[in-house]
Every structure is written in C-alpha cells, then in structure tokens.
Amino acid sequence: MMKSPLVPLMSCLFVWGGLSSSAAAFSHGATSFISPAVSVSQQHEIISRCGAVHHFSGKRTKELCKLRMTSTTVESDITIKSRRHALGSRRAATAFAGAGIFLCTLLKSNAAFAKTAATTVSTAAAPLILPPMHKILLACLLPTLLGFYKSEYGVSYGYGTAMAASSYLILASISQSAGLPLALSFASSTKPAAILSSLTATINSLRTLLPASLPAFHAFALFFYGTRLDLFLLYRELCLPRFRAMRERIEDRAKKQGSRLKRTPFLLSCTFLYFCMVCPALVTTKLCEGMSMSCAVGLGGGLASFLEQSLRLSVILALSGFLLGAVGDLNKSIGKMLKGEDTLITGGIFRFFRHPNYTGEVIGWSSSCLAAFLAVALKAVTDTSSNGGLHIWKSMAGFLSLSVMGVTGISFVLGTATAGLEFRQQEKYGDSEEYKQWVKKSWVGFKMGKQKKAESENIQETTEE
C-alpha cells in the first residue's frame, strides 16, 4: 500500500522549525501565532489536528519562557494558562503553527488520495486474461531461431531471450489486470528521456505489484533470469576474446554436420523445452490470482495454510536460485579479471559451491516446477465442490506434465554440463593442493555421470568456463 505524502512533508516542516521544541509547547503556544481572522472553532480544529503529530516535536527545551500576551481576538474559552506557554524560538513556533494550518487545509484533499493508494491493486483489479498460448510459443520460438545464424546462439541468447520474453507476457497480463500496466514500450519514442521515463514507471509498478501478487513474483523470477543471462552473455562476447573463439569453434563443428536447415529439429526441441520451463508460471498465474507474497509467521491453520506458505517459499527459492547463479557469474568474472583467465576461483561463493551458476539454475527451475504442483494442491484442498478438487488436478494435468518435462530436461543439461566442467577442472588443476582442498570443502552440486568430455559446450556452456 502506498504511503501518504504528508509524512515526508511533515518531517521537513518540523526539522526546519526545530526538533528540540516540545509537544506541549506546540499545542499550547501555537495558538498565539494564529491570525485573528481564524475563528475559535478553527483554532481548536488546528490544535486537535496537530495533536496527532506530537511525537515529531522532540523533547521540551530548557529555553521555554513565559510570555505575557494580551488577547482581544481570541475568545475567553482559551485560557490565560495556554498563552503563558510559548516556544523558546518564535521561528520554531511559527513553523509549527504553519504546519498545523497546512495540515488542516490538506486533510480533506489527502483523504481521497489515501483511500485510492490503499486499494491500488485490490480495487483496480480487472479480470486476469492470460496471454494466448500461441504468443507464448512464439516468444519461445523466435529467439531460438538465432541458432540458424550461429549454432551457439540458439542455446545462449535464444535461451535467455525466450525465458525473458515469455515471462514478460505473463507479467504484463498480471500487471494489466491489477491496474499497474508496465510501460516498457519504446515504439512511440526512442529518446533517452522517454526511455528513462518508461523504465522508471515500470520499476514503480513492479515495486507495488510484486509484494501484492504471487503470480507476478513467480513470473518476475523467470524474467530476471532471462534478462540477466542475456546481459552476461553480451558482456562475455564483447569483452572476452576466448568466448568469441569458443563460439566460432562450435559454429565450425555445426557447419561440418551439413546445411543450416539440419539444425531445425534441434532448435525446435529447444523451443519445446523453453515452453515447458515457463509452464509453471502459467499454472500459478491461472490458479493463484489475488494471492500476495505476505507470509503469516506461526504454526497452525491446517493443510491449506501449510500449502500456501510452502507455495510462497517455493517461488522465493526460485528467485534465490537464479540470484545464486548471477552471484556466481559475477564472482568468477571479477576474479578472473583481477587474477588472470587461467586462475582457479575458490573464494567468495565458490568457497561453498564449485559450480554456483549450474547449481543455482537447478534450484531455481526445480522450485519453479514445485510451485506449480503446490498451486494445484492448494486449489484442490480449498475447493468446495463434491469431487474434492479432483477436476482441478485433471484440468492442470497437461501443464503439470509439461512442467515436469521442462525441469527434467534442463536438469539433465545442467547435470551433464557440471560433469563436463568437473572433468576439465580436474584435468587442469587436479595436481594443485589448492584444488584438492577446495574439492573437499565445497559442494559439486547436481552432477550426472562421469563425463570425460565437455559435450555441454554445444548445449549450455553459457555461464561457466
């Protein structure tokens, strides 16, 4: 919920007036500086309004003095005692009285704003309409077609862009229904000021939307992963010659297998995998509309409460896994930049995870898939129909099956890549004592098989050596 703008405004006024003045002095002394044109009832209203903010005024100062003032305009119901107490500083008293008068004039106009801000997401919500499936499929397909240009692009930029684009479509639908449309549109103007304004508006909408909507948080986790991956890949390609050389080696190997059209089956299978990986976000969006990310701490509440809290935890784990991968990439990039390309990175996050980017991805995608199952289970448990929610499981069976395919496929790719990287590192650093100690103290992550050759170079070599 948005905060009233009166709070920072009040703070500025009271700092200017002097924080050392007392609340009591304010409430009694401010009346001495109110214009005679203000009626007695208005003065009482000013004092009562300002009494609500006494806690801003600080401690009573030692400089309080008694002032003798005569009154010809203030009625007798304001006692002589109230006039004897004034602020030690006339400037401070004037500022406080001004703040009180300003509050009186703003209270009515601010009431409508506060009411609107409190219900920004709830009352502005419109029926949620998911993006059509053909748009989601196109968002997964079109970036993958980059693989026809460079084979490696289909599983690097294609992968990241497919995740970012498809999750953005979901996130935009959620934000539109909540009355907080995202403003990422550069069609009208490409001027820096317009783009900056668009980004600022989008960030403000997300700041309001993400805590208030679990489906939006889930979709944002996928959007963050795809966008972050694309930016990291772009950095590697522009700044690190060895990765450009790696890309060309992959392309030369692909060309030896025949024409570019022969890549079609592989690229279509990648498209299908990317669609499967975004399906959990479609499930939570469809079933968890209106659920926020606020967690009630405590035990009890039955199975429904347990499932609801577990669902929130799973989407938080999804984003946490993707953040772990981002930290791993940053850690390794900085380490190799400072110490050299052939340096074995064992510090930072690598002290605990040997392959934090692969491990983080597995955690992220597994948690995302788990969120889909928890969403269906929660909806089924809270269903009041005669069949006990069985129809919900049946209606979501297709999406759940695709979700399992997605997490299984990407876990196989990441596990194979981990095994290949383990082999390369052992070959390169296996004789050093540093490597041996690092292996003993760090976790390898999710590894599949004992691969002797890094076939992952043609599948998922996007985040590690």
Side-chain angles (χ1 to χ4, degrees):
M1 185 174 68
M2 295 174 63
K3 294 183 179 179
S4 169
L6 288 179
V7 175
L9 182 58
M10 284 288 298
S11 302
C12 293
L13 286 171
F14 284 114
V15 168
W16 177 74
L19 290 175
S20 62
S21 305
S22 70
F26 167 63
S27 59
H28 291 297
T31 58
S32 302
F33 299 91
I34 300 177
S35 171
V38 180
S39 68
V40 174
S41 61
Q42 289 174 323
Q43 292 177 24
H44 282 300
E45 181 182 4
I46 291 171
I47 295 171
S48 62
R49 295 290 190 184
C50 296
V53 291
H54 276 172
H55 58 284
F56 285 106
S57 57
K59 298 180 179 180
R60 181 186 296 271
T61 62
K62 296 180 180 179
E63 292 79 14
L64 286 177
C65 62
K66 296 181 180 179
L67 299 179
R68 295 181 180 179
M69 303 181 66
T70 58
S71 174
T72 57
T73 58
V74 181
E75 300 296 334
S76 58
D77 56 297
I78 301 181
T79 64
I80 299 298
K81 183 178 179 180
S82 67
R83 296 209 183 107
R84 290 177 180 175
H85 296 281
L87 298 174
S89 169
R90 184 179 182 89
R91 183 183 178 189
T94 305
F96 282 132
I101 296 171
F102 189 77
L103 275 176
C104 289
T105 58
L106 268 185
L107 278 174
K108 289 185 179 180
S109 61
N110 184 66
F113 170 80
K115 183 177 180 181
T116 303
T119 56
T120 299
V121 176
S122 58
T123 60
L128 176 60
I129 302 176
L130 283 172
M133 287 301 103
H134 71 273
K135 287 189 176 181
I136 300 291
L137 284 169
L138 282 175
C140 294
L141 172 64
L142 295 180
T144 312
L145 297 181
L146 288 170
F148 285 117
Y149 172 61
K150 295 286 185 182
S151 177
E152 191 262 345
Y153 283 177
V155 293
S156 57
Y157 291 110
Y159 175 31
T161 307
M163 292 297 100
S166 56
S167 58
Y168 177 79
L169 290 175
I170 300 172
L171 189 58
S173 297
I174 299 170
S175 64
Q176 187 72 35
S177 70
L180 295 166
L182 303 181
L184 284 177
S185 177
F186 309 131
S188 58
S189 176
T190 57
K191 294 181 179 179
I195 294 175
L196 181 61
S197 175
S198 175
L199 289 174
T200 302
T202 298
I203 291 172
N204 290 335
S205 295
L206 289 175
R207 288 177 61 185
T208 303
L209 180 64
L210 295 185
S213 172
L214 182 143
F217 192 96
H218 191 181
F220 175 78
L222 274 62
F223 177 75
F224 165 79
Y225 172 77
T227 305
R228 197 280 310 176
L229 178 61
D230 276 348
L231 291 175
F232 177 69
L233 293 170
L234 183 62
Y235 153 75
R236 288 200 325 181
E237 185 157 356
L238 295 177
C239 302
L240 304 177
R242 67 191 183 96
F243 282 104
R244 292 196 293 271
M246 180 202 73
R247 181 199 64 200
E248 293 305 321
R249 289 198 306 270
I250 295 174
E251 183 65 18
D252 290 341
R253 189 163 60 242
K255 288 180 179 179
K256 291 178 181 179
Q257 297 176 359
S259 68
R260 296 178 188 271
L261 290 178
K262 289 188 176 180
R263 305 175 189 178
T264 302
F266 173 72
L267 295 177
L268 289 178
S269 66
C270 289
T271 300
F272 178 70
L273 175 63
Y274 303 155
F275 176 76
C276 291
M277 292 165 66
V278 83
C279 280
L282 292 171
V283 174
T284 55
T285 302
K286 187 175 181 64
L287 299 182
C288 300
E289 182 181 2
M291 184 182 297
S292 72
M293 288 299 296
S294 59
C295 298
V297 180
L299 300 175
L303 179 59
S305 177
F306 171 76
L307 291 172
E308 186 174 341
Q309 301 300 348
S310 299
L311 174 55
R312 291 190 176 99
L313 179 61
S314 65
V315 295
I316 291 173
L317 280 176
L319 181 58
S320 300
F322 298 143
L323 284 170
L324 174 62
V327 171
D329 284 335
L330 181 64
N331 194 161
K332 176 169 279 189
S333 298
I334 294 176
K336 288 186 175 292
M337 186 187 304
L338 297 176
K339 299 180 180 180
E341 290 294 334
D342 294 328
T343 303
L344 176 65
I345 305 299
T346 60
I349 196 66
F350 285 85
R351 175 181 295 183
F352 311 102
F353 302 94
R354 290 214 287 282
H355 315 292
N357 20 32
Y358 291 159
T359 303
E361 278 198 55
V362 173
I363 293 173
W365 294 121
S366 299
S367 300
S368 178
C369 181
L370 177 62
F373 279 85
L374 289 171
V376 176
L378 176 61
K379 193 70 173 180
V381 166
T382 56
D383 184 65
T384 57
S385 61
S386 57
N387 59 9
L390 184 60
H391 68 286
I392 295 175
W393 285 102
K394 290 181 177 179
S395 65
M396 291 289 107
F399 281 115
L400 292 179
S401 299
L402 293 173
S403 299
V404 171
M405 292 181 190
V407 71
T408 302
I410 194 63
S411 296
F412 174 79
V413 171
L414 295 169
T416 304
T418 300
L421 184 56
E422 274 285 289
F423 176 77
R424 293 206 307 274
Q425 287 184 339
Q426 188 173 12
E427 264 193 337
K428 192 172 184 178
Y429 308 108
D431 294 333
S432 69
E433 188 63 28
E434 181 186 16
Y435 175 78
K436 294 176 182 178
Q437 293 299 320
W438 180 51
V439 169
K440 290 179 181 178
K441 296 178 181 179
S442 59
W443 182 39
V444 65
F446 306 94
K447 183 176 72 169
M448 290 189 178
K450 295 182 178 180
Q451 210 169 327
K452 289 188 176 182
K453 203 168 184 178
E455 298 293 340
S456 58
E457 208 178 50
N458 199 30
I459 305 173
Q460 173 62 22
E461 186 166 4
T462 58
T463 54
E464 296 239 308
E465 291 185 70

